Amino acid sequence: LSNFDIKSGGDLVFADPSSSTLNFNSATADAGTGNLANVTNNSELTLNANASALTGAVATTSGSVSNLNLSNGSSWTITGSSRVTNLSLTQSSATFAPGDGFKTLTVTNFTGGGGLLTFNAALGGANPGADQLIIDGGKATGSTTIAIRTVGAGGQVSVPLVTTANGGSIAPGAFTLAGPVVVDGFVYSLQEQNGGEFLVSAPGVNQAQANGSLASL
């Protein structure tokens, strides 16, 4: 599909059952809050996006396989919690849509090739949290930059962004923070904890307190 502009309020791609490959070239595929792809009944679906914009969730049932490969400046806006078997971001981006609570993206294998992942995060208040990428049984490799869109006030927290399950793992250096994250004077960095990547505030001090201490010297 080249230079197409496709919109759907339900399942934009429905595999039940099938084994197929769909290529988007300089195209827009927008499922809104519905499923960009629904892969079920032992299907295998490969979506290749080249310089294209994708919007929607991806559902993959047990026994089915979904492969999503984004390249050449493609983007995926994740509007609902999703499961993808194999996800590759090559000079492309995936962004959790804001609003309607935090979302999860569960993958078996994740490969970054200069990719960008954007998370929403609440770093203070009574219910801190963030969107999450879950590596379930496979591995995250390559190089991917993480950007943070903050919601609300800052605080002293440790919030998971990338976690592992069922023996999943993250290769060293697979994820780096796009730049400093500062909210209400609190400074946050990306740190490895419990086999995952967490956004963690500097221990016991925020930037304003640090600046005040330096000024008093």
Side-chain angles (χ1 to χ4, degrees), residues 14-144:
F14 184 43
D16 178 32
S18 72
S19 179
S20 55
T21 298
L22 183 60
N23 299 314
F24 293 106
N25 295 299
S26 300
T28 299
D30 186 354
T33 57
N35 287 320
L36 172 71
N38 186 356
V39 188
T40 188
N41 200 6
N42 298 309
S43 295
E44 181 169 357
L45 177 67
T46 297
L47 293 183
N48 298 316
N50 172 57
S52 296
L54 312 179
T55 301
V58 174
T60 308
T61 61
S62 178
S64 297
V65 175
S66 57
N67 306 302
L68 183 56
N69 304 308
L70 278 68
S71 63
N72 194 24
S74 293
S75 64
W76 176 26
T77 301
I78 306 165
T79 56
S81 291
S82 298
R83 178 178 288 273
V84 177
T85 309
N86 300 296
L87 173 62
S88 174
L89 296 180
T90 303
Q91 300 300 322
S92 297
S93 64
T95 301
F96 289 97
D100 299 322
F102 297 121
K103 304 166 184 66
T104 59
L105 170 58
T106 303
V107 303
T108 302
N109 296 298
F110 177 92
T111 305
L116 174 67
L117 272 173
T118 301
F119 295 75
N120 302 287
L123 302 176
N127 297 298
D131 302 309
Q132 280 190 48
L133 171 64
I134 303 170
I135 310 300
D136 187 4
K139 192 167 186 178
T141 58
S143 60
T144 301

